[in-house]
Amino acid sequence: MKKQPNITAKSIREARERIDHMVHYTPVLHSEAISKVAGCDLVFKCENFQKVGAFKARGAANAVLKMSPEERRKGVATHSSGNHAAALARAAQVANIPSYIVMPSSAPQVKRNAVEGYGGIVIECEPNLKAREEGLKAVVNQYGATFIPPYDHIDVVEGQATCALELLETYRSLDFLIAPVGGGGLLAGTALATKFYSPNTKIIGAEPEGANDAKMSFEAGYRIPVQTPNTIADGLLTSLGKLNFEIIFKNVDYILTVSDQEIISAMRLIYERMKIVIEPSSAVPLAVVLKNKNLFANQNVGIILSGGNVDLAGLPFKSS
Amino acid sequence: MKKQPNITAKSIREARERIDHMVHYTPVLHSEAISKVAGCDLVFKCENFQKVGAFKARGAANAVLKMSPEERRKGVATHSSGNHAAALARAAQVANIPSYIVMPSSAPQVKRNAVEGYGGIVIECEPNLKAREEGLKAVVNQYGATFIPPYDHIDVVEGQATCALELLETYRSLDFLIAPVGGGGLLAGTALATKFYSPNTKIIGAEPEGANDAKMSFEAGYRIPVQTPNTIADGLLTSLGKLNFEIIFKNVDYILTVSDQEIISAMRLIYERMKIVIEPSSAVPLAVVLKNKNLFANQNVGIILSGGNVDLAGLPFKSS
């Protein structure tokens, strides 16, 4: 086996050092006002301030830097229209290698521009999964590029784990740590880092009701992919990856779900009181806290704000 | 004369110490991305993260704390529906004295809630200047409360000066410092702090075209109040105060104006690239930089982001 088979305490720390020149050590913010509303002591790890505006910069950087020189020379590829596409293009740009991003023709121009702004080569395809997979296969065959998937990949998960590592280095007595869950890369990495560095901290996955496959899978003990996901938290539409499910099933304490209305209320509270821009996915953990105040009462709670890439023209706030 | 007649280097430093327990020492952010767009090296002093979400917390705190114990016992009063109302109510709350805020009946419920949330006593009046002034006079007569005006007051200006002091303590080689100008309290305080602590830094007032009385007054050499102000920068609708005009006329280098469209573009850039929430008034200085790139090329430029209290349901961003 070429890849290191396991993520360990040591390998997460090494990943943090590996990607140090590529990512921000993001700040942790407090909010007295929101802590008061929630009835617990909240700290927020701000990946909205991360490079490319999301935690995805970590996993992409780690995956690129773990490739052999020969692999790297041929570049990297993925199919994505979201934060991973921009994160991979940027990691490749910093590493001075080509990146090939297969994108559906329906992707917004602004996402295409982001990828091309980082020097990524966009390959357009029909807007369906089959066309995306075929487009990816063609690029991999033609250039010998290495496919870096958005979440279900050991080096990606290891990279995402560096986010919780940074938080736990400073905040050593968290009772709970909550991360949003979609494909599960961030939650799996968070669970492993916490298991190694703060074993008494309970780990919670925060999920939208409209894409609750992690909760269903977690309860069933096997993966149940989501059929027709529907939520404002557009970063969490995907189903849990296979590797990620295994890690999450073993290491996460609860998966808790919230409605879109609860997500929007939490998001608004963060904009109003913390004066920071987050994407809807980032608001899911706070929504979970506000919905389950008894569980968190007077506890020290860490929340990962996963990103800040939001359509500013379509913010979901109504006049109050 | 009861009040100290002048603002000095020493008095600004004393004000900073005086209000220290009441306000945040706000962070200064960089943005590589925006500096690249602007062609100069920008730093942003983030008063959007200040208590009550705006620099107004400083002046109100300083004014309250400079009152005599006897004056304080009788409380403070003002007429305002904006950030000053909330700032004064909060300063009074921390000082454990009453505050009377005369507000037009047309003021949004959310602003009323903010004042009452800080323990302020709201006195409703008809929505016109005469009614506001009469309402204020009645409160002052009835309770003996001290009127703390929103900007044209020496202790308020001295308090606002602490913001630039903090910035200049850390950033010692700014070529320019830019603050928005409405009533002029922030700009006057900024100009004085800069004159004392960084005399080689040029001071610029940034003003909306639709409320350009500061520019007109600055050029004429006497105060010309704005007649029908109209701008998205709703914190800058008021005309320059008398005291503030004198300070600004003597100590500011330029007043530069921008259109609402330019303000919205700058505001969007800050939301998108810095992931922080600001009110339109805060975007006016960056709009000035982007409109006058030659003036600022390759210079070190400080910008004061004055506040973050914005109607989230009415953000001016269109689909791109």
Side-chain angles (χ1 to χ4, degrees), chain A residues 259-274:
Chain A
S259 70
D260 274 15
Q261 201 44 58
E262 289 161 340
I263 295 169
I264 293 169
S265 296
M267 186 175 168
R268 182 170 196 140
L269 204 56
I270 289 172
Y271 275 65
E272 280 182 350
R273 308 312 296 247
M274 297 177 68

PDB file of all heavy atoms in Angstrom, chain A residues 259-274:
ATOM      1  N   SER A 259     -33.568  22.046  11.475  1.00  0.00           N
ATOM      2  CA  SER A 259     -34.312  22.460  10.280  1.00  0.00           C
ATOM      3  C   SER A 259     -33.632  23.653   9.610  1.00  0.00           C
ATOM      4  O   SER A 259     -32.799  24.331  10.220  1.00  0.00           O
ATOM      5  CB  SER A 259     -35.729  22.865  10.680  1.00  0.00           C
ATOM      6  OG  SER A 259     -35.683  24.084  11.405  1.00  0.00           O
ATOM      7  N   ASP A 260     -34.010  23.929   8.361  1.00  0.00           N
ATOM      8  CA  ASP A 260     -33.453  25.093   7.674  1.00  0.00           C
ATOM      9  C   ASP A 260     -33.789  26.382   8.417  1.00  0.00           C
ATOM     10  O   ASP A 260     -32.978  27.306   8.466  1.00  0.00           O
ATOM     11  CB  ASP A 260     -33.976  25.161   6.231  1.00  0.00           C
ATOM     12  CG  ASP A 260     -33.119  24.312   5.293  1.00  0.00           C
ATOM     13  OD1 ASP A 260     -32.326  23.478   5.795  1.00  0.00           O
ATOM     14  OD2 ASP A 260     -33.225  24.480   4.060  1.00  0.00           O
ATOM     15  N   GLN A 261     -34.994  26.450   8.981  1.00  0.00           N
ATOM     16  CA  GLN A 261     -35.358  27.663   9.715  1.00  0.00           C
ATOM     17  C   GLN A 261     -34.453  27.864  10.918  1.00  0.00           C
ATOM     18  O   GLN A 261     -34.021  28.976  11.222  1.00  0.00           O
ATOM     19  CB  GLN A 261     -36.836  27.595  10.134  1.00  0.00           C
ATOM     20  CG  GLN A 261     -37.438  28.950  10.430  1.00  0.00           C
ATOM     21  CD  GLN A 261     -37.061  30.005   9.393  1.00  0.00           C
ATOM     22  OE1 GLN A 261     -37.325  29.866   8.207  1.00  0.00           O
ATOM     23  NE2 GLN A 261     -36.377  31.074   9.829  1.00  0.00           N
ATOM     24  N   GLU A 262     -34.109  26.776  11.589  1.00  0.00           N
ATOM     25  CA  GLU A 262     -33.185  26.869  12.731  1.00  0.00           C
ATOM     26  C   GLU A 262     -31.779  27.266  12.276  1.00  0.00           C
ATOM     27  O   GLU A 262     -31.073  28.010  12.960  1.00  0.00           O
ATOM     28  CB  GLU A 262     -33.178  25.532  13.492  1.00  0.00           C
ATOM     29  CG  GLU A 262     -34.493  25.302  14.248  1.00  0.00           C
ATOM     30  CD  GLU A 262     -34.763  23.857  14.640  1.00  0.00           C
ATOM     31  OE1 GLU A 262     -34.178  22.923  14.042  1.00  0.00           O
ATOM     32  OE2 GLU A 262     -35.596  23.643  15.537  1.00  0.00           O
ATOM     33  N   ILE A 263     -31.394  26.780  11.107  1.00  0.00           N
ATOM     34  CA  ILE A 263     -30.080  27.149  10.550  1.00  0.00           C
ATOM     35  C   ILE A 263     -30.042  28.649  10.243  1.00  0.00           C
ATOM     36  O   ILE A 263     -29.080  29.352  10.565  1.00  0.00           O
ATOM     37  CB  ILE A 263     -29.779  26.321   9.281  1.00  0.00           C
ATOM     38  CG1 ILE A 263     -29.637  24.833   9.642  1.00  0.00           C
ATOM     39  CG2 ILE A 263     -28.520  26.827   8.583  1.00  0.00           C
ATOM     40  CD1 ILE A 263     -29.596  23.897   8.431  1.00  0.00           C
ATOM     41  N   ILE A 264     -31.113  29.147   9.632  1.00  0.00           N
ATOM     42  CA  ILE A 264     -31.152  30.568   9.262  1.00  0.00           C
ATOM     43  C   ILE A 264     -31.125  31.457  10.506  1.00  0.00           C
ATOM     44  O   ILE A 264     -30.437  32.479  10.548  1.00  0.00           O
ATOM     45  CB  ILE A 264     -32.402  30.866   8.394  1.00  0.00           C
ATOM     46  CG1 ILE A 264     -32.269  30.161   7.040  1.00  0.00           C
ATOM     47  CG2 ILE A 264     -32.588  32.374   8.198  1.00  0.00           C
ATOM     48  CD1 ILE A 264     -33.549  30.176   6.206  1.00  0.00           C
ATOM     49  N   SER A 265     -31.860  31.057  11.552  1.00  0.00           N
ATOM     50  CA  SER A 265     -31.853  31.851  12.795  1.00  0.00           C
ATOM     51  C   SER A 265     -30.451  31.905  13.410  1.00  0.00           C
ATOM     52  O   SER A 265     -30.008  32.960  13.862  1.00  0.00           O
ATOM     53  CB  SER A 265     -32.809  31.253  13.830  1.00  0.00           C
ATOM     54  OG  SER A 265     -34.126  31.318  13.367  1.00  0.00           O
ATOM     55  N   ALA A 266     -29.774  30.778  13.427  1.00  0.00           N
ATOM     56  CA  ALA A 266     -28.420  30.733  13.992  1.00  0.00           C
ATOM     57  C   ALA A 266     -27.463  31.567  13.145  1.00  0.00           C
ATOM     58  O   ALA A 266     -26.608  32.296  13.660  1.00  0.00           O
ATOM     59  CB  ALA A 266     -27.935  29.286  14.079  1.00  0.00           C
ATOM     60  N   MET A 267     -27.637  31.474  11.832  1.00  0.00           N
ATOM     61  CA  MET A 267     -26.793  32.231  10.901  1.00  0.00           C
ATOM     62  C   MET A 267     -26.965  33.726  11.137  1.00  0.00           C
ATOM     63  O   MET A 267     -25.999  34.490  11.192  1.00  0.00           O
ATOM     64  CB  MET A 267     -27.209  31.842   9.479  1.00  0.00           C
ATOM     65  CG  MET A 267     -26.354  32.414   8.368  1.00  0.00           C
ATOM     66  SD  MET A 267     -26.936  31.694   6.783  1.00  0.00           S
ATOM     67  CE  MET A 267     -26.058  32.760   5.621  1.00  0.00           C
ATOM     68  N   ARG A 268     -28.209  34.125  11.318  1.00  0.00           N
ATOM     69  CA  ARG A 268     -28.489  35.549  11.540  1.00  0.00           C
ATOM     70  C   ARG A 268     -27.846  36.035  12.840  1.00  0.00           C
ATOM     71  O   ARG A 268     -27.283  37.131  12.906  1.00  0.00           O
ATOM     72  CB  ARG A 268     -30.005  35.770  11.590  1.00  0.00           C
ATOM     73  CG  ARG A 268     -30.352  37.217  11.769  1.00  0.00           C
ATOM     74  CD  ARG A 268     -31.839  37.497  11.576  1.00  0.00           C
ATOM     75  NE  ARG A 268     -31.999  38.927  11.401  1.00  0.00           N
ATOM     76  CZ  ARG A 268     -32.831  39.487  10.535  1.00  0.00           C
ATOM     77  NH1 ARG A 268     -33.590  38.752   9.782  1.00  0.00           N
ATOM     78  NH2 ARG A 268     -32.882  40.791  10.421  1.00  0.00           N
ATOM     79  N   LEU A 269     -27.936  35.211  13.861  1.00  0.00           N
ATOM     80  CA  LEU A 269     -27.332  35.570  15.147  1.00  0.00           C
ATOM     81  C   LEU A 269     -25.827  35.801  14.987  1.00  0.00           C
ATOM     82  O   LEU A 269     -25.256  36.746  15.551  1.00  0.00           O
ATOM     83  CB  LEU A 269     -27.600  34.430  16.140  1.00  0.00           C
ATOM     84  CG  LEU A 269     -27.597  34.738  17.626  1.00  0.00           C
ATOM     85  CD1 LEU A 269     -28.564  35.838  17.989  1.00  0.00           C
ATOM     86  CD2 LEU A 269     -27.926  33.466  18.414  1.00  0.00           C
ATOM     87  N   ILE A 270     -25.172  34.962  14.214  1.00  0.00           N
ATOM     88  CA  ILE A 270     -23.726  35.109  13.998  1.00  0.00           C
ATOM     89  C   ILE A 270     -23.413  36.384  13.210  1.00  0.00           C
ATOM     90  O   ILE A 270     -22.490  37.127  13.549  1.00  0.00           O
ATOM     91  CB  ILE A 270     -23.159  33.840  13.330  1.00  0.00           C
ATOM     92  CG1 ILE A 270     -23.164  32.682  14.342  1.00  0.00           C
ATOM     93  CG2 ILE A 270     -21.762  34.088  12.775  1.00  0.00           C
ATOM     94  CD1 ILE A 270     -22.809  31.326  13.772  1.00  0.00           C
ATOM     95  N   TYR A 271     -24.188  36.662  12.169  1.00  0.00           N
ATOM     96  CA  TYR A 271     -23.980  37.917  11.416  1.00  0.00           C
ATOM     97  C   TYR A 271     -24.205  39.132  12.313  1.00  0.00           C
ATOM     98  O   TYR A 271     -23.431  40.083  12.300  1.00  0.00           O
ATOM     99  CB  TYR A 271     -24.946  37.996  10.219  1.00  0.00           C
ATOM    100  CG  TYR A 271     -24.470  37.303   8.968  1.00  0.00           C
ATOM    101  CD1 TYR A 271     -24.298  35.926   8.932  1.00  0.00           C
ATOM    102  CD2 TYR A 271     -24.219  38.013   7.800  1.00  0.00           C
ATOM    103  CE1 TYR A 271     -23.887  35.282   7.783  1.00  0.00           C
ATOM    104  CE2 TYR A 271     -23.796  37.377   6.630  1.00  0.00           C
ATOM    105  CZ  TYR A 271     -23.638  36.014   6.630  1.00  0.00           C
ATOM    106  OH  TYR A 271     -23.218  35.383   5.485  1.00  0.00           O
ATOM    107  N   GLU A 272     -25.304  39.086  13.086  1.00  0.00           N
ATOM    108  CA  GLU A 272     -25.689  40.266  13.872  1.00  0.00           C
ATOM    109  C   GLU A 272     -24.763  40.512  15.048  1.00  0.00           C
ATOM    110  O   GLU A 272     -24.425  41.649  15.340  1.00  0.00           O
ATOM    111  CB  GLU A 272     -27.124  40.088  14.412  1.00  0.00           C
ATOM    112  CG  GLU A 272     -28.182  40.389  13.388  1.00  0.00           C
ATOM    113  CD  GLU A 272     -29.603  40.262  13.947  1.00  0.00           C
ATOM    114  OE1 GLU A 272     -29.780  39.762  15.080  1.00  0.00           O
ATOM    115  OE2 GLU A 272     -30.525  40.664  13.239  1.00  0.00           O
ATOM    116  N   ARG A 273     -24.399  39.472  15.753  1.00  0.00           N
ATOM    117  CA  ARG A 273     -23.671  39.669  16.993  1.00  0.00           C
ATOM    118  C   ARG A 273     -22.173  39.555  16.819  1.00  0.00           C
ATOM    119  O   ARG A 273     -21.418  40.203  17.532  1.00  0.00           O
ATOM    120  CB  ARG A 273     -24.153  38.697  18.079  1.00  0.00           C
ATOM    121  CG  ARG A 273     -25.659  38.701  18.303  1.00  0.00           C
ATOM    122  CD  ARG A 273     -26.264  40.100  18.454  1.00  0.00           C
ATOM    123  NE  ARG A 273     -25.809  40.842  19.611  1.00  0.00           N
ATOM    124  CZ  ARG A 273     -26.554  41.175  20.658  1.00  0.00           C
ATOM    125  NH1 ARG A 273     -27.831  40.839  20.694  1.00  0.00           N
ATOM    126  NH2 ARG A 273     -26.039  41.880  21.643  1.00  0.00           N
ATOM    127  N   MET A 274     -21.703  38.699  15.903  1.00  0.00           N
ATOM    128  CA  MET A 274     -20.264  38.542  15.713  1.00  0.00           C
ATOM    129  C   MET A 274     -19.745  39.370  14.553  1.00  0.00           C
ATOM    130  O   MET A 274     -18.534  39.542  14.410  1.00  0.00           O
ATOM    131  CB  MET A 274     -19.914  37.062  15.524  1.00  0.00           C
ATOM    132  CG  MET A 274     -20.258  36.212  16.757  1.00  0.00           C
ATOM    133  SD  MET A 274     -19.924  34.448  16.517  1.00  0.00           S
ATOM    134  CE  MET A 274     -18.121  34.477  16.425  1.00  0.00           C
TER     135      MET A 274
END
